[in-house]
Amino acid sequence: MRVTVKAPGSCGELAQGTINGNSFLITCPIDLYSKVTVMPNKDIGIVTIGHKVATAITKTLQFLKTTNDGFHVSVNSELPLGKGMASSSADISAACQCIALSRGTLLSPDEIADIALSIEPTDGIFYPGIILFDHVKGHLRRYLGHAIPMHILIFDVGGEIDTLHFNQRSDLEKLNHSKELQVKQAMNLIINGLTKNDVSLLGKGATISALANQKILYKPHLEEIIDIGLSWGAVGVNVAHSGTVVGVLFPVNKLSNCPACIEEINRCCTGVKFLHTVNFISGGLMKQEGDSHEWEQCF
């Protein structure tokens, strides 16, 4: 039976760092997706795109204590690589669940997290809602609530970042420790914003985390992007803390200001490229099985 699973990407993270030495991020899922499809095929076995997806498939089969009896796997992603938009996490999580469904079972988010984390540091976009997640060891997995309505203008400051190499930096622990006070403040503001459905609190918290991360992964023109965004009614920015994208966060009632904001940032910030306007959404995986064209939540 044909099975397709889609996983949302992200615009970086709402916050990321350490608290008392424990790594965490707060997810920022968006409505761009990676889709993985599995179809039975006795002749060609696993055909897939990328080493990480192949590894995820192998590890899922091992977890389910089953073998490859021949199937075709295809990946169709809207997410660019190396930008901090959770492209690998989306591919891996969708592949894990797709293989499980093709075997007549369903993996829990925690089971997917365990498989994904055995491959590389991962984003928690496959968990329903917005979560606080230990992206390195998986010790923290805390549900914070549903997404609140918000538009995000995604800009790319250029280059590519390898997540695995970034998290192996020898100076990362020391640098994260130095910004723990700001990160804790950011986390509390974001949690309060989600709890109170207050996009301005969320935006303030995300901006604090973005600025604190400048000493770890510098984003050119970040302060200028913040000033321009605020002048057009944005509530702040967020960043990919181990990537190259910056998100300008707009309340839904300020959508009409977005084109002018994009134009001004493009004009004033040399080397910064506008990518997409997206919606902030709750995370989680969705599935299509057999001949159905309807998407259903996996959990």
Side-chain angles (χ1 to χ4, degrees):
M1 181 178 67
R2 180 180 182 273
V3 179
T4 299
V5 173
K6 70 175 181 179
S10 74
C11 177
E13 304 81 28
L14 295 178
Q16 182 173 311
T18 61
I19 294 180
N20 299 324
N22 297 309
S23 298
F24 81 97
L25 58 78
I26 298 178
T27 55
C28 184
I30 59 173
D31 55 347
L32 294 176
Y33 298 91
S34 176
K35 298 177 184 177
V36 176
T37 299
V38 173
M39 296 182 65
N41 191 317
K42 299 295 184 182
D43 298 324
I44 60 177
I46 296 176
V47 175
T48 189
I49 300 173
H51 172 71
K52 293 176 183 178
V53 172
T55 302
I57 291 169
T58 299
K59 286 178 174 286
T60 302
L61 291 171
Q62 291 170 346
F63 176 80
L64 296 173
K65 296 181 173 58
T66 187
T67 57
N68 168 26
D69 56 2
F71 47 81
H72 176 271
V73 180
S74 62
V75 180
N76 181 11
S77 180
E78 299 174 316
L79 306 167
L81 301 175
K83 300 297 182 182
M85 295 181 66
S87 58
S88 293
S89 299
D91 288 351
I92 289 169
S93 60
C96 291
Q97 193 67 284
C98 212
I99 293 298
L101 286 167
S102 74
R103 293 300 189 267
T105 190
L106 193 69
L107 297 175
S108 70
D110 285 341
E111 289 169 338
I112 294 171
D114 291 341
I115 295 170
L117 286 164
S118 73
I119 299 171
E120 66 171 13
T122 190
D123 195 291
I125 42 80
F126 46 88
Y127 279 86
I130 307 302
I131 72 158
L132 187 151
F133 182 66
D134 177 351
H135 54 290
V136 179
K137 297 181 179 178
H139 294 327
L140 300 172
R141 308 177 185 196
R142 177 184 169 190
Y143 173 76
L144 300 180
H146 293 293
I148 56 181
M150 182 172 68
H151 301 298
I152 306 177
L153 309 182
I154 304 180
F155 294 86
D156 181 16
V157 300
E160 291 186 9
I161 305 295
D162 184 287
T163 303
L164 186 58
H165 290 161
F166 177 88
N167 282 280
Q168 292 173 341
R169 283 175 52 173
S170 59
D171 62 346
L172 189 58
E173 182 178 356
K174 181 180 179 180
L175 289 170
N176 271 321
H177 178 74
S178 71
K179 65 167 187 164
E180 282 201 358
L181 187 63
Q182 298 101 304
V183 168
K184 186 173 183 179
Q185 181 186 12
M187 178 189 73
N188 289 333
L189 282 165
I190 292 164
I191 291 173
N192 283 336
L194 291 168
T195 302
K196 298 176 180 178
N197 205 39
D198 187 332
V199 70
S200 64
L201 289 177
L202 184 149
K204 288 177 183 176
T207 304
I208 290 170
S209 186
L211 288 169
N213 201 63
Q214 286 289 74
K215 65 181 70 175
I216 295 180
L217 184 60
Y218 182 76
K219 301 282 193 301
H221 300 291
L222 179 61
E223 291 80 1
E224 194 171 2
I225 292 170
I226 293 170
D227 290 342
I228 294 171
L230 292 176
S231 74
W232 286 105
V235 294
V237 305
N238 78 310
V239 299
H241 293 71
S242 58
T244 67
V245 295
V246 176
V248 182
L249 311 178
F250 272 88
V252 292
N253 64 346
K254 298 292 185 179
L255 178 61
S256 62
N257 292 356
C258 289
C261 180
I262 293 167
E263 181 182 352
E264 185 170 350
I265 291 173
N266 282 340
R267 184 176 69 251
C268 297
C269 302
T270 304
V272 175
K273 179 183 177 183
F274 172 70
L275 297 182
H276 299 283
T277 299
V278 297
N279 293 303
F280 177 52
I281 64 170
S282 292
L285 303 178
M286 302 189 75
K287 64 180 179 177
Q288 287 180 339
E289 296 183 86
D291 296 327
S292 174
H293 296 290
E294 299 295 323
W295 290 104
E296 301 177 18
Q297 295 284 347
C298 286
F299 22 69

